[in-house]
């Protein structure tokens, strides 16, 4: 039995990070949240008053940022930028509203993809994002494309916001989510799309446990094959 690499892509709220975290814990793999890297850069850009359109300033900012993803014992991921912990601030409405524009620039993606490939050099990693199966780990042994209806995804994100005491209403959450999905799907560089060899997992009517069990089952089969 050999460890494999797992790529999980899909739109916002489809369940990627929740499921990726649990799959990684069950298989004793490393979980890498690539969205947190784009969110950290967006947060820093807002702090430094760098526009989301200004590719050159954004890449200069990113080059100065050492982004570390620390896995905690409870499976949660702690993001550190140059040793400083970032928390909830990378999930704020303003970061969420700007992150897709920041992520659309070629130079930013090239730098992020190179860093993610470096982090995933060893086998036994689960990465989630938008372009993992298509660009970051095209050779991953298991690729999942996770999806759910937009109504269900907006409901989940709204509930999550309420639980975490973030300001939220269902209509605004749904519109923001649809806008971000459109930007992520329509950008010219590494858009969100299902890789040809990815397994489609529709989580609309599935519990987290069911999805985790299904992915772990396929992963075990792939481990035995490789
Ligand atoms: O968790 P949620 O689905 O809300 O988003 P995320 O995974 O934290 O990603 C935030 C944003 O980063 C996405 O909407 C994309 O614009 C960008 N992203 C990307 O372009 N490529 C990735 N591999 C991961 C995220
Ligand atoms: O990472 P992504 O944006 O794809 O989604 P997530 O942050 O993992 O999931 C969004 C919310 O939906 C979380 O609060 C999950 O607990 C919930 N969820 C769910 O209710 N049922 C699923 N099958 C998957 C996620």
């Amino acid at each position: 039995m050999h460890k494999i690499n797992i790529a999980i892509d899909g739109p916002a709220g489809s369940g990627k990070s929740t499921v990726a975290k649990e799959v990684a814990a069950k298989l004793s793999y490393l979980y890498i949240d690539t969205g947190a890297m784009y969110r950290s850069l967006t947060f820093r850009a807002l702090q430094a008053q760098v526009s989301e359109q200004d590719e050159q300033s954004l890449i200069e900012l990113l080059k100065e940022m050492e982004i570390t993803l620390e896995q905690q014992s409870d499976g949660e991921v702690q993001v550190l930028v140059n040793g400083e912990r970032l928390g909830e601030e990378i999930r704020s409405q303003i970061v969420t509203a700007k992150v897709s524009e920041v992520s659309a620039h070629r130079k930013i993606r090239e730098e992020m993809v190179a860093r993610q490939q470096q982090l995933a050099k060893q086998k036994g990693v689960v990465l989630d994002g938008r372009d993992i199966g298509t660009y970051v780990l095209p050779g991953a042994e298991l690729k999942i494309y996770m999806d759910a209806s937009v109504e269900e995804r907006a409901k989940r994100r709204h509930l999550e916001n309420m639980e975490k005491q973030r300001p939220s209403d269902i209509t605004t959450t749904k519109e923001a989510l649809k806008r971000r999905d459109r930007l992520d799907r329509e950008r010219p560089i590494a858009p969100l799309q299902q890789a040809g060899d990815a397994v489609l997992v529709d989580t609309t009517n599935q519990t987290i446990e069911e999805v985790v069990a299904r992915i772990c089952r396929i992963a075990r089969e792939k481990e035995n094959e490789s």
Side-chain angles (χ1 to χ4, degrees):
M1 195 200 82
H2 294 100
K3 289 193 167 188
I4 59 164
N5 284 341
I6 305 177
I8 305 183
D9 292 300
S14 53
K16 300 180 301 296
S17 58
T18 310
V19 166
K21 241 177 263 173
E22 292 203 21
V23 166
K26 284 213 158 50
L27 301 175
S28 300
Y29 280 21
L30 179 68
Y31 166 54
I32 299 171
D33 177 355
T34 66
M37 299 173 72
Y38 291 97
R39 285 177 177 274
S40 302
L41 171 61
T42 307
F43 174 72
R44 281 289 297 120
L46 283 161
Q47 263 189 335
Q49 297 186 321
V50 166
S51 160
E52 66 275 16
Q53 308 297 340
D54 185 351
E55 181 172 17
Q56 193 50 37
S57 301
L58 287 169
I59 190 70
E60 283 165 20
L61 202 57
L62 179 57
K63 291 265 168 83
E64 287 169 11
M65 292 169 66
E66 190 200 12
I67 307 175
T68 318
L69 302 174
E70 255 183 25
Q71 200 145 17
Q72 296 175 312
S73 52
D74 59 3
E76 292 300 316
V77 175
Q78 175 76 60
V79 184
L80 293 108
V81 172
N82 300 335
E84 189 192 324
R85 281 173 198 279
L86 295 186
E88 264 291 296
E89 53 269 48
I90 64 166
R91 314 267 162 207
S92 70
Q93 267 177 4
I94 177 81
V95 168
T96 301
K98 303 267 182 194
V99 64
S100 289
E101 278 100 339
V102 169
S103 310
H105 299 292
R106 178 181 300 281
K107 286 183 187 164
I108 301 301
R109 300 208 69 81
E110 283 172 357
E111 176 67 21
M112 290 292 198
V113 169
R115 291 187 190 197
Q116 290 156 9
Q117 288 173 336
Q118 187 64 28
L119 289 172
K121 248 165 80 183
Q122 82 269 38
K123 289 277 174 181
V125 292
V126 184
L127 269 75
D128 82 323
R130 302 294 186 287
D131 60 341
I132 309 302
T134 46
Y135 288 91
V136 181
L137 299 178
E141 289 83 352
L142 175 55
K143 297 180 186 176
I144 303 289
Y145 188 85
M146 214 171 269
D147 210 346
S149 72
V150 69
E151 284 73 24
E152 177 64 24
R153 293 188 290 110
K155 202 171 81 189
R156 288 177 186 169
R157 196 35 64 85
H158 174 59
L159 275 176
E160 189 186 1
N161 287 341
M162 306 280 280
E163 272 166 26
K164 300 203 169 148
Q165 287 164 9
R166 299 175 189 144
S168 185
D169 74 82
I170 184 78
T171 313
T172 317
T173 302
K174 187 171 166 185
E175 287 315 306
L177 193 133
K178 278 165 72 176
R179 175 180 173 273
R180 190 149 59 94
D181 284 350
R182 181 174 49 74
L183 290 171
D184 291 344
R185 286 193 174 108
E186 292 179 1
R187 69 181 172 219
I189 307 144
L192 167 65
Q193 58 183 344
Q194 184 178 345
D197 51 353
V199 179
L200 175 65
V201 176
D202 187 330
T203 71
T204 310
N205 295 308
Q206 293 212 301
T207 64
I208 295 162
E209 292 69 29
E210 286 170 326
V211 179
V212 169
R214 180 172 172 204
I215 296 176
C216 284
R217 202 167 50 240
I218 311 175
R220 291 293 188 209
E221 285 168 15
K222 299 273 180 191
E223 282 183 336
N224 289 328
E225 283 167 18
S226 63

